Amino acid sequence: MTQFHETKIVKCEKFDNTILLELKFPEDTDFNFKAGQYVLIYQTINGKEENRAFSISSNPKQKTIELLIKVYVKGKVSPKLSELKEGDSLKIRGPFGIFQLKQPIKDETIFIAAGTGIAPLRSMIHELSGNHPDKKATLVFGFKHNKDFFFKEEFEKLAKKNPNFNLIPTMTQPPEGYRGYKGRVTAILPKILKNNNQDVYICGPLQMINDTLNLLINELSFKKEQIHIERWGSG
């Protein structure tokens, strides 16, 4: 049975409706996870213990774990998490999940994310780049504004360091003069993607996942077994 862990928050970054938590385990804790997996976070609300699942966004080689969490105003757990600060304790359980890199790794892997859906894919990209730097990887990341380009500097640095990593951001509400890709991920995928037997990993809002899945299968001739999806709840 997967055990509970009492962790401590060592970093807490807050954005408009998103938080990034970094959690540290006690020294004697042996916590290992596969890129793409998630943990359950527990909070006591109105005298009742509630939990929600959040994907681990950090490199599996780290001793800490990072969680990129969207705060839902009408959610039960995520609003409580947004009130936490560095030094607070947090009860978690895990890791769980089969949303992991499929073996053997193919010559090219496609990652498609929108918003906080980047969380598990970030972890996968680190694992792939670290263990298989000779394999090609493309990240198509959709977001509304510049401020929603999570881990921007990190991904840009990786793209410069590893020529096999291709970063393709696209913005739905770009500022005037913006010269990058514009629109939702489904608007640009036909322009940049050909079916060369890649594995495709998708995470983001439900509508984005459904639209992307429909596009890949019905327009770009991908097979279902090539496509791997992580669907989330609403906090």
Side-chain angles (χ1 to χ4, degrees):
M1 184 176 181
T2 306
Q3 66 184 99
F4 290 91
H5 301 279
E6 197 69 33
T7 67
K8 180 168 289 189
I9 298 174
V10 294
K11 183 174 73 174
C12 180
E13 293 186 39
K14 298 184 179 183
F15 309 95
D16 285 351
N17 64 344
T18 309
I19 55 175
L20 177 64
L21 299 179
E22 183 176 0
L23 308 180
K24 182 180 180 180
F25 295 87
E27 294 296 331
D28 58 347
T29 301
D30 184 23
F31 183 89
N32 297 296
F33 71 96
K34 296 290 186 181
Q37 290 190 300
Y38 66 90
V39 294
L40 295 175
I41 292 185
Y42 290 78
Q43 289 284 282
T44 300
I45 301 170
N46 297 325
K48 181 181 178 181
E49 190 172 59
E50 305 277 359
N51 70 76
R52 291 293 184 274
F54 297 100
S55 292
I56 303 170
S57 70
S58 44
N59 191 327
K61 294 181 180 180
Q62 283 183 215
K63 292 184 178 181
T64 58
I65 63 170
E66 294 178 81
L67 307 170
L68 184 69
I69 299 170
K70 182 175 181 179
V71 179
Y72 292 90
V73 176
K74 295 183 179 180
K76 280 191 175 182
V77 174
S78 61
K80 291 282 290 184
L81 297 178
S82 69
E83 300 172 0
L84 298 176
K85 59 186 183 300
E86 293 179 10
D88 286 345
S89 295
L90 197 59
K91 178 182 175 182
I92 71 169
R93 186 175 170 222
F96 301 100
I98 59 173
F99 185 62
Q100 303 171 30
L101 291 172
K102 304 301 177 183
Q103 303 295 329
I105 301 297
K106 294 184 178 178
D107 290 337
E108 182 177 11
T109 303
I110 308 298
F111 299 97
I112 304 172
T116 54
I118 191 61
L121 304 191
R122 177 199 185 205
S123 184
M124 288 178 166
I125 289 167
H126 277 299
E127 183 172 288
L128 182 60
S129 295
N131 296 338
H132 305 276
D134 58 319
K135 302 292 187 180
K136 292 183 180 180
T138 295
L139 169 61
V140 183
F141 185 15
F143 46 88
K144 288 185 179 180
H145 310 283
N146 271 319
K147 61 183 176 58
D148 303 316
F149 191 169
F150 301 116
F151 313 116
K152 179 177 185 291
E153 293 182 2
E154 178 182 304
F155 286 132
E156 290 177 341
K157 183 178 179 180
L158 180 59
K160 290 181 180 179
K161 178 181 178 182
N162 184 355
N164 285 322
F165 176 61
N166 186 23
L167 174 62
I168 304 178
T170 179
M171 201 181 314
T172 59
Q173 298 180 27
E176 187 175 350
Y178 178 73
R179 296 184 178 182
Y181 282 106
K182 302 174 184 178
R184 301 173 66 217
V185 293
T186 47
I188 68 165
L189 287 176
K191 304 175 185 177
I192 63 173
L193 196 58
K194 292 183 179 180
N195 185 357
N196 293 319
N197 195 37
Q198 307 100 323
D199 273 326
V200 182
Y201 297 85
I202 309 171
C203 190
L206 183 58
Q207 188 63 54
M208 168 269 192
I209 290 177
N210 291 339
D211 291 345
T212 302
L213 185 61
N214 179 67
L215 173 70
L216 291 175
I217 293 175
N218 296 323
E219 295 186 34
L220 300 180
S221 301
F222 279 79
K223 298 178 181 178
K224 288 184 178 181
E225 54 265 32
Q226 291 176 256
I227 304 170
H228 316 286
I229 296 170
E230 181 76 318
R231 289 184 171 90
W232 288 343
S234 56

